[in-house]
């Protein structure tokens, strides 16, 4: 039976979703004017700053989803 999905995959949700965390941080610290985040494929997304924040939020959610509860 083929796998089914109910929503977009992470890679297709945003063009910057596949960038490593370090690239997102570098673009955020230097500014998107000096170092625009470039998606794999070479094009800079048109949404710039909001796209960078969306991609960072996706990275954060994926990381937190994998955490286990702390032991009391």
């Amino acid at each position: 039976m083929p796998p089914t999905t109910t929503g977009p995959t992470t890679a297709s949700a945003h063009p910057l979703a596949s960038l490593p965390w370090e690239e997102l941080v570098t673009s955020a610290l230097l500014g998107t004017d000096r170092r625009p985040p470039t998606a794999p494929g070479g094009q800079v997304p048109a949404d710039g700053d909001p796209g960078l924040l969306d991609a960072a939020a996706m990275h954060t959610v994926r990381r937190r989803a994998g955490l286990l509860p702390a032991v009391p």
Side-chain angles (χ1 to χ4, degrees):
M1 183 179 259
T4 60
T5 58
T6 57
T9 60
T10 304
S12 65
H14 197 277
L16 299 177
S18 61
L19 283 179
W21 178 252
E22 293 78 17
E23 281 290 319
L24 295 173
V25 171
T26 301
S27 292
L29 290 175
L30 293 177
T32 55
D33 292 337
R34 290 182 62 198
R35 175 101 181 244
T38 304
Q43 294 184 353
V44 176
D47 56 355
D49 295 340
L52 180 67
L53 293 175
D54 289 344
M58 277 192 247
H59 272 278
T60 302
V61 168
R62 276 186 274 167
R63 184 181 61 92
R64 288 183 181 172
L67 293 177
L68 297 175
V71 179

